[in-house]
Amino acid sequence: MKKEAVVLKDSNKAIRHIAFIMDGNGRWAKRRGMPREFGHKNGAETFKRIMRRCCELGIEASTFYVFSTENWKRPQREIDAILSLLDRYLDDCEQEIKTNDVRFIFIGDLSVFSVPVQEKMKRIEEFSKNNSHIVNLALNYGGRNEIATAVNSLIKAGMTVIDEDDITGALYTKESPPLDLIVRTGGDLRISNFLLWQAAYAEFYFTDKLWPELVPDDVNEIIDNFTNRSRRFGGV
Ligand code: IPE
Ligand code: IPE
Ligand code: MG
């Protein structure tokens, strides 16, 4: 389903790239007396609903923080549950690609994943590459790692002097427009190593809602809030 970009009074304020720190799955489950894995299962359903709304609103790119380079510190049982949800999603997302015009891009250091999982990701990227709504899924993603990886790729390409545009063009998010807004659920006011370079002039939106509590209409409300902000980019 293709829809026009959100129509706004001031076209400079149209949101092109939104990112989500999907935090609070564990607490959501704990409040229900359930294991953390139950929170991740529900969080995965929330992800699908939110991602679809972003596509329906015509947002060019949405980025979702699925698993950080630091999340390996968690108990193995929880890691396994997250990875198994991911694997299942990789098997199911073909329909998503067809019905929601999604172009999936997997961002992060993917070399840690098993070869079959990496191959699934490559196939999905290839299969969806002509679609219009970019959905970046951040897996084993760390912002510092992304910048270091970008610089190393430029050095490897023979560059000796590197400027800001070179780095921007070598990041995992190189296919996406500049980042407009980072949304974090779960009540914590931090960036947790997410999109560090891209966040330079992004807006932030924090909510106490836990990730599984977020509903698609919240996205509309968040975008309304974003639209009413004044972005000066250092000007007046
Ligand atoms: C976010 O929810 C999901 C991942 C980091 C994978 P959490 O699992 O961090 O949930 P809380 O913050 O412990 O509630
Ligand atoms: C950030 O959440 C990472 C993801 C949502 C994937 P965390 O729960 O890992 O962040 P911290 O540990 O509270 O900073
Ligand atoms: Mg958390």
Side-chain angles (χ1 to χ4, degrees):
M1 182 191 353
K2 277 191 186 167
K3 288 211 176 150
E4 293 306 309
V6 191
V7 183
L8 299 165
K9 280 176 245 142
D10 176 353
S11 61
N12 287 330
K13 287 191 167 185
I15 187 162
R16 300 181 66 198
H17 185 178
I18 187 169
F20 294 90
I21 301 178
M22 308 188 279
D23 199 22
N25 291 347
R27 279 165 284 166
W28 183 85
K30 204 175 160 200
R31 282 184 196 171
R32 283 160 181 74
M34 299 294 280
R36 295 178 58 83
E37 293 73 24
F38 181 69
H40 296 308
K41 192 161 170 271
N42 279 273
E45 294 306 312
T46 300
F47 154 72
K48 290 179 206 167
R49 291 192 285 266
I50 299 296
M51 183 261 285
R52 282 177 202 140
R53 179 59 60 93
C54 290
C55 294
E56 285 163 14
L57 290 171
I59 299 171
E60 283 172 64
S62 48
T63 301
F64 294 86
Y65 207 0
V66 179
F67 197 85
S68 76
T69 45
E70 286 73 36
N71 287 146
W72 299 104
K73 292 175 192 159
R74 296 185 178 211
Q76 195 57 43
R77 175 192 149 121
E78 181 173 346
I79 294 172
D80 289 345
I82 295 169
L83 295 185
S84 124
L85 281 167
L86 168 70
D87 196 41
R88 223 170 310 153
Y89 186 66
L90 295 179
D91 290 333
D92 289 350
C93 69
E94 194 168 312
Q95 196 50 42
E96 202 75 65
I97 295 167
K98 287 180 185 157
T99 52
N100 292 309
D101 199 17
V102 172
R103 175 182 177 191
F104 281 107
I105 300 179
F106 298 92
I107 66 170
D109 176 4
L110 307 177
S111 67
V112 295
F113 297 106
S114 71
V115 172
V117 167
Q118 287 186 50
E119 277 170 0
K120 272 185 207 176
M121 293 178 194
K122 266 190 223 139
R123 270 203 305 277
I124 291 164
E125 285 187 343
E126 182 60 28
F127 180 68
S128 66
K129 71 176 181 209
N130 295 319
N131 284 355
S132 36
H133 301 119
I134 292 177
V135 172
N136 295 305
L137 294 182
L139 294 160
N140 190 31
Y141 174 91
R144 288 183 170 183
N145 167 273
E146 179 181 35
I147 296 165
T149 303
V151 171
N152 278 319
S153 73
L154 296 168
I155 293 171
K156 216 169 153 190
M159 293 183 71
T160 49
V161 180
I162 291 165
D163 66 21
E164 291 185 15
D165 288 343
D166 296 327
I167 294 179
T168 302
L171 295 174
Y172 296 131
T173 54
K174 57 180 173 287
E175 308 283 346
S176 303
L179 181 62
D180 293 307
L181 176 65
I182 297 182
V183 177
R184 181 173 189 140
T185 57
D188 283 311
L189 308 180
R190 56 174 171 262
I191 195 162
S192 301
N193 203 12
F194 191 44
L195 302 177
L196 297 181
W197 183 273
Q198 298 87 335
Y201 264 107
E203 295 292 315
F204 286 85
Y205 185 98
F206 295 101
T207 169
D208 288 336
K209 278 197 180 185
L210 302 173
W211 177 254
E213 294 169 341
L214 205 74
V215 295
D217 283 349
D218 289 327
V219 177
N220 294 60
E221 223 177 285
I222 291 166
I223 291 173
D224 276 352
N225 176 291
F226 166 85
T227 306
N228 286 318
R229 295 184 188 190
S230 157
R231 297 177 85 191
R232 290 180 291 279
F233 299 98
V236 283

